[in-house]
Amino acid sequence: MSIQSTMEGKLKKAFSPERLVIINESHLHAGHHHQDSDHHGTYDGTGETHFRVRIVSSAFAGMSRIERHRAVNALLADELNAGVHALAIEPAAPDEKTRW
């Protein structure tokens, strides 16, 4: 199972989102150097290392932006410790406007 699929399953189970989009942005980082990763030298942009998570869930109602980010980061801690280098999180409650 891909990292993206694993993250999607975890997010759906934990937050029952109304909307969920996970975008693999790894290719946007080709040419970057990841000093502390298994990509020695310059990163070629392949794989599953950089993601953007856009999620709308009633579970986020009443939570601050930091609390939402902490909740998602805690849920995806295994993936972050196993090679996901960057995770952009765009969480919202159902009654909030999103830019996407």
Side-chain angles (χ1 to χ4, degrees), residues 54-82:
R54 294 175 169 166
I55 182 169
V56 176
S57 172
S58 59
F60 296 132
M63 294 174 74
S64 71
R65 184 175 178 186
I66 291 174
E67 290 170 328
R68 294 171 184 187
H69 280 250
R70 286 179 178 157
V72 172
N73 278 316
L75 182 68
L76 302 179
D78 289 342
E79 289 71 27
L80 290 165
N81 290 326

Side-chain angles (χ1 to χ4, degrees), residues 22-74:
I22 301 175
I23 304 164
N24 184 341
E25 296 183 338
S26 301
H27 65 284
L28 300 175
H29 300 272
H32 294 186
H33 181 71
H34 294 175
Q35 187 172 9
D36 296 324
S37 74
D38 62 348
H39 297 285
H40 302 290
T42 303
Y43 177 59
D44 64 5
T46 62
E48 295 182 298
T49 58
H50 297 72
F51 290 95
R52 178 170 304 275
V53 173
R54 294 175 169 166
I55 182 169
V56 176
S57 172
S58 59
F60 296 132
M63 294 174 74
S64 71
R65 184 175 178 186
I66 291 174
E67 290 170 328
R68 294 171 184 187
H69 280 250
R70 286 179 178 157
V72 172
N73 278 316

Side-chain angles (χ1 to χ4, degrees), residues 7 10 15-16 39 46-47 71 73 97:
M7 291 189 330
K10 285 183 169 186
F15 299 113
S16 301
H39 297 285
T46 62
N73 278 316
K97 290 185 180 182

Side-chain angles (χ1 to χ4, degrees), residues 5-16:
S5 296
T6 300
M7 291 189 330
E8 183 177 352
K10 285 183 169 186
L11 290 163
K12 284 181 176 180
K13 184 175 180 180
F15 299 113
S16 301

